[in-house]
Amino acid sequence: MADLAQLNRQRWDNCHIPSNKGPEFKAVADKINLYKNRYLAVEKTTGVPWCVIGVVHYRESSFDFTRSLAQRDPWDKKSTHVPVGRGGLLSWEEAAVDALT
């Protein structure tokens, strides 16, 4: 595990955001902060940091609360994409906990 932590530290240290991409990153960060309270509720149950949940939400479903964090399928129906058969849940938060655990 220490090797993975060291590798991730090197990746972080080598990360570079081109200056012309700053506004795009800020727009995403602003959206993540807008939904912070919803992400905090999921963090409380899963232990996954709220900011990571926000990034996953952006990556997997473009901040769409009608879609699952797992694969963008609607969370209130059984999923048809991998992981197949998940869903039929009662809320986005419940679906997020399911996806993250």
Side-chain angles (χ1 to χ4, degrees), residues 8-22:
N8 285 338
R9 170 51 55 195
Q10 289 171 345
R11 289 175 175 148
W12 183 257
D13 290 343
N14 291 330
C15 179
H16 170 73
I17 300 170
S19 60
N20 66 328
K21 297 292 185 184

Side-chain angles (χ1 to χ4, degrees), residues 36-71:
K36 180 179 179 178
N37 287 337
R38 293 188 82 169
Y39 301 147
L40 281 169
V42 176
E43 175 186 25
K44 186 180 284 189
T45 303
T46 64
V48 176
W50 70 269
C51 53
V52 172
I53 296 166
V55 170
V56 172
H57 191 208
Y58 170 65
R59 167 66 175 85
E60 294 299 327
S61 60
S62 303
F63 298 119
D64 185 344
F65 283 98
T66 69
R67 303 297 173 156
S68 172
L69 282 184
Q71 73 302 70

Side-chain angles (χ1 to χ4, degrees), residues 42 46 68 70-71 83 86-87 89 92-101:
V42 176
T46 64
S68 172
Q71 73 302 70
R86 307 300 293 185
L89 300 165
W92 178 87
E93 287 79 4
E94 186 179 357
V97 168
D98 180 73
L100 295 167
T101 57

